[in-house]
Amino acid sequence: MEKVLKSYLEKVSKYLKRIPASERADIIKEIESDMSELQNSGKTSDEIIKRLGTPQNLAKAYLGDLLGTGTGFNMKRFLTICAFYSIAGFSGMIIIPCLAIIAPVFIVFGALAPVLAFVKMADSILGLGIPYMENIKIVFNGIEGLSPVMGFVFSVIIGVLLYMAGMGAWKLLLAYCRKTSSIKHKIV
Amino acid sequence: MVIDSWKSQIKRGTLEFCILLMINKRPYYGYEIMNKLDTWPVLSAKESTIYPLLRRLLKDGFLSSSWQETTEGLPPRKYYTITDKGREYLEAMLQEWGNLLTAVKGIEGE
């Protein structure tokens, strides 16, 4: 067998390393057999590789299908999921948690900032003497001594920006999840 | 295109049905299944679809498999055979498929 095909099979095997060795060997043997049939029908190595797709995607197809339709928890399925994510990339492992944290935090604080600044402004203008007001500080670009009114204006602007960023992160998260799951369901 | 996405949805369930129908007649190996499906563009599918699908049917106990040597000097082939459980599954699928066709025809002819 030609070197490109051999190295292709090695890559697939590497991506499937979490599948039990005997099963993995069987999968590889079947793909190898398929390659020989294709060669026998006059296909070149390049055509064969093009037909099979990237080693990553082929491995992903196996892992995706092995997840099956059940929902119960077992070690095997857990390991398959691990393997799936190791291919689906760290993208999923990083992007989803990051966005899931950023979105709500930004939205909540975007709304909270102007409210707090408003309370402080009201306190200082009306001299209400609300306790703990000294803990609300508006620091803009290193300037700490902004008047409560200016502070309020700034915090409204910052609040709107934070809120928009939070909503953006949320929409991105939704889009990302939809995209990833649609890839999983696509048939070639 | 919208029609392509619809076709791929239809195909997903149908492929499983068609593969079982084929293997119910005689043992097949993967490459052979793909070639046969290629006869009908609507069912044509690649390795990355067929092999994982066969593997799942195997795991679910609908198929059994065995490696057999070839006479043409090619590497051994993995032949799939239908099991009793697979036959039952296929029987139920045929029933549902019939129901589906009747329903579509009924609506169409209204």
Side-chain angles (χ1 to χ4, degrees):
Chain A
M1 178 161 284
E2 282 166 65
K3 216 177 149 207
V4 268
L5 297 181
K6 273 247 181 306
S7 93
Y8 182 97
L9 289 172
E10 275 161 24
K11 278 183 201 147
V12 176
S13 176
K14 201 185 82 198
Y15 286 123
L16 294 175
K17 63 172 180 284
R18 284 180 207 268
I19 286 184
S22 62
E23 213 181 318
R24 187 176 52 215
D26 194 77
I27 290 175
I28 298 299
K29 196 172 162 192
E30 191 169 28
I31 303 171
E32 195 179 347
S33 161
D34 185 84
M35 285 173 162
S36 303
E37 303 281 352
L38 286 166
Q39 254 177 343
N40 195 42
S41 75
K43 293 240 180 351
T44 66
S45 303
D46 285 347
E47 285 169 329
I48 293 172
I49 286 175
K50 204 172 161 215
R51 189 184 155 86
L52 295 178
T54 65
Q56 233 171 329
N57 279 338
L58 187 58
K60 220 190 272 185
Y62 274 100
L63 294 170
D65 239 52
L66 285 183
L67 283 178
T69 44
T71 49
F73 181 86
N74 60 51
M75 209 50 201
K76 201 159 178 205
R77 181 169 287 139
F78 179 71
L79 290 177
T80 313
I81 289 173
C82 287
F84 186 76
Y85 275 106
S86 70
I87 296 179
F90 286 110
S91 72
M93 258 193 269
I94 292 169
I95 288 175
I96 293 173
C98 277
L99 291 177
I101 292 168
I102 286 173
V105 170
F106 274 33
I107 290 170
V108 166
F109 283 91
L112 209 57
V115 171
L116 289 175
F118 180 78
V119 173
K120 188 179 171 82
M121 183 177 68
D123 174 64
S124 90
I125 290 173
L126 304 174
L128 298 174
I130 302 172
Y132 303 118
M133 275 302 114
E134 64 279 8
N135 289 328
I136 301 175
K137 276 185 198 153
I138 290 123
V139 182
F140 184 72
N141 226 357
I143 309 163
E144 210 172 314
L146 284 171
S147 75
V149 179
M150 279 304 282
F152 174 66
V153 173
F154 274 121
S155 59
V156 167
I157 296 169
I158 301 290
V160 168
L161 290 177
L162 274 177
Y163 183 81
M164 277 162 59
M167 285 308 278
W170 174 243
K171 279 184 188 145
L172 216 57
L173 177 64
L174 286 183
Y176 186 85
C177 290
R178 290 212 183 98
K179 183 88 192 161
T180 333
S181 64
S182 80
I183 289 171
K184 216 169 67 187
H185 291 307
K186 213 164 179 178
I187 213 159
V188 186
Chain B
M1 269 208 300
V2 182
I3 191 70
D4 286 330
S5 128
W6 186 75
K7 264 162 66 184
S8 93
Q9 283 177 50
I10 295 273
K11 205 157 119 183
R12 210 184 319 157
T14 318
L15 265 184
E16 189 168 333
F17 182 39
C18 291
I19 288 176
L20 283 173
L21 274 175
M22 284 167 68
I23 301 177
N24 189 36
K25 296 203 174 120
R26 65 169 173 85
Y28 273 87
Y29 58 97
Y31 181 74
E32 214 181 1
I33 294 176
M34 260 183 308
N35 267 347
K36 179 121 184 169
L37 290 173
D38 269 344
T39 324
W40 301 279
V42 67
L43 289 175
S44 160
K46 284 188 185 166
E47 280 81 355
S48 55
T49 303
I50 299 298
Y51 288 118
L53 178 57
L54 285 169
R55 193 143 204 98
R56 185 165 57 74
L57 291 172
L58 207 59
K59 288 227 150 183
D60 290 342
F62 299 132
L63 297 178
S64 64
S65 70
S66 69
W67 285 95
Q68 278 168 38
E69 296 297 330
T70 60
T71 46
E72 299 123 84
L74 286 165
R77 289 165 174 159
K78 191 179 183 184
Y79 277 87
Y80 294 88
T81 325
I82 199 160
T83 61
D84 288 339
K85 194 180 168 195
R87 243 172 247 119
E88 267 172 45
Y89 184 40
L90 183 59
E91 208 54 53
M93 277 175 148
L94 278 163
Q95 180 90 37
E96 291 303 327
W97 185 256
N99 292 344
L100 189 68
L101 287 187
T102 316
V104 172
K105 284 228 173 74
I107 291 170
E108 213 184 19
E110 260 176 19

